[in-house]
Amino acid sequence: MILSNSWRRLASAILLYICCITNEQQSVLAARQAKARRRLITASVMPSFLPSTAPSMASSDRPSSAPSSTVTTVPSYTPSTTITTVPSYNPSNAPTGVPSSSPSMVPSMSAMPTSEPSSSPSDEPDSLLLSTQENEFGAFGVMFDTFAWHKLRIVSFDIYSAYNSSGANVKVYTRPGNYTGHEVDSNGWDLVVDDQVDFLGQEIPTKILVGVTVPFESSQSFFIWSPDQRIMYNLGTEEGALYSSDAYLSFYEGVSLVNIFSNDIDDVYSPRVLRGAIR
């Protein structure tokens, strides 16, 4: 009976010891779990040297020392408080679903050029100056060739007249290609201007609006005619020679005419250079 009681006391002591150890282990485990939870919701003071596999619950005070090697598949929970100073080197696959509430304070700048050039130049020239010499040469008509290095629109001609006059008739004809062989023949010429203008003389240019589009890398001929006024020109050196050019348009020495489409080649005088500008 005495032995039986001793075994019972020993068994009770062992059970009590086991319970104490279990409770202590549970307390240590709970403390570790609480500490881990605090780490998840508290931002680190110093940046990580290796990127994490998942985004933090809260933003860090300082950026990472090195960018992550791969993009994150899950967006951050809160937006960045400051804009990036350099653009992304790889564009996003799709636009954002929701626009930002306010515009960027600093404009972004593309880090990569476009894969193809523009089909037309961004800025067309204001004008191409032709002959600027003052002299007494003039005729009722002047004919010349141009060549467009890019597709462009010729808006107007600035020309000079022998004297001032009001309500003078002006005609402007044009045709694709060179005028050679068509100086006195109206076939193929299109009338684009038939108007009354006020000529301003030899000191002030008179603007003649035309509005002709010249295709990319194409020649276009023009014939300016005014039966009521002499159009001023300079003597050239060689008909068809390049006289003036820029990155968009080239202008060539042409001819003057004393009659319009007369089928008489004796009405043609060369070489002649129109005095004025093309705009």
Side-chain angles (χ1 to χ4, degrees):
M1 186 69 181
I2 294 173
L3 181 61
S4 177
N5 291 335
S6 298
W7 278 106
R8 286 194 184 97
R9 285 194 297 271
L10 179 59
S12 298
I14 292 173
L15 290 175
L16 179 61
Y17 176 75
I18 292 173
C19 290
C20 291
I21 292 177
T22 302
N23 291 336
E24 183 179 357
Q25 290 177 341
Q26 290 178 347
S27 299
V28 171
L29 180 60
R32 290 179 177 175
Q33 291 176 343
K35 185 177 181 179
R37 286 195 295 271
R38 287 195 298 273
R39 287 180 176 176
L40 286 176
I41 62 175
T42 303
S44 58
V45 178
M46 295 293 293
S48 303
F49 286 94
L50 294 176
S52 57
T53 57
S56 304
M57 296 294 293
S59 59
S60 58
D61 296 329
R62 297 174 60 186
S64 303
S65 299
S68 57
S69 57
T70 58
V71 295
T72 56
T73 58
V74 180
S76 57
Y77 294 99
T78 57
S80 302
T81 57
T82 58
I83 60 174
T84 57
T85 57
V86 295
S88 301
Y89 284 92
N90 291 318
S92 56
N93 295 327
T96 55
V98 180
S100 57
S101 57
S102 60
S104 303
M105 298 299 294
V106 180
S108 59
M109 181 175 60
S110 176
M112 299 178 65
T114 56
S115 58
E116 295 181 0
S118 302
S119 58
S120 59
S122 55
D123 295 316
E124 293 186 359
D126 292 334
S127 63
L128 177 64
L129 291 177
L130 310 181
S131 174
T132 58
Q133 301 175 11
E134 295 184 17
N135 52 52
E136 300 298 326
F137 301 116
F140 296 125
V142 177
M143 189 177 293
F144 54 89
D145 289 336
T146 63
F147 184 86
W149 297 101
H150 302 273
K151 179 181 178 181
L152 55 80
R153 185 172 179 83
I154 295 178
V155 178
S156 64
F157 295 120
D158 288 352
I159 64 175
Y160 293 86
S161 57
Y163 49 86
N164 295 4
S165 62
S166 299
N169 179 247
V170 173
K171 298 179 187 291
V172 178
Y173 297 83
T174 188
R175 63 177 294 129
N178 300 325
Y179 67 79
T180 304
H182 308 281
E183 297 92 331
V184 294
D185 183 5
S186 62
N187 290 330
W189 289 96
D190 294 323
L191 179 64
V192 293
V193 175
D194 187 359
D195 202 0
Q196 307 294 318
V197 300
D198 296 333
F199 280 104
L200 304 178
Q202 298 187 32
E203 300 296 330
I204 302 175
T206 300
K207 184 179 295 295
I208 309 297
L209 299 177
V210 288
V212 175
T213 298
V214 185
F216 170 73
E217 291 190 352
S218 298
S219 296
Q220 193 76 21
S221 302
F222 292 93
F223 175 30
I224 305 175
W225 172 262
S226 177
D228 304 324
Q229 181 64 269
R230 284 193 299 141
I231 300 171
M232 306 306 292
Y233 61 79
N234 291 123
L235 300 179
T237 58
E238 181 181 356
E239 182 183 356
L242 178 65
Y243 185 86
S244 181
S245 183
D246 58 21
Y248 302 90
L249 187 69
S250 294
F251 167 79
Y252 299 88
E253 296 185 18
V255 300
S256 65
L257 296 96
V258 296
N259 210 337
I260 182 171
F261 301 135
S262 63
N263 292 317
D264 186 354
I265 198 65
D266 291 336
D267 291 337
V268 180
Y269 295 85
S270 68
R272 301 290 187 263
V273 181
L274 175 66
R275 182 180 170 218
I278 301 176
R279 300 189 185 276

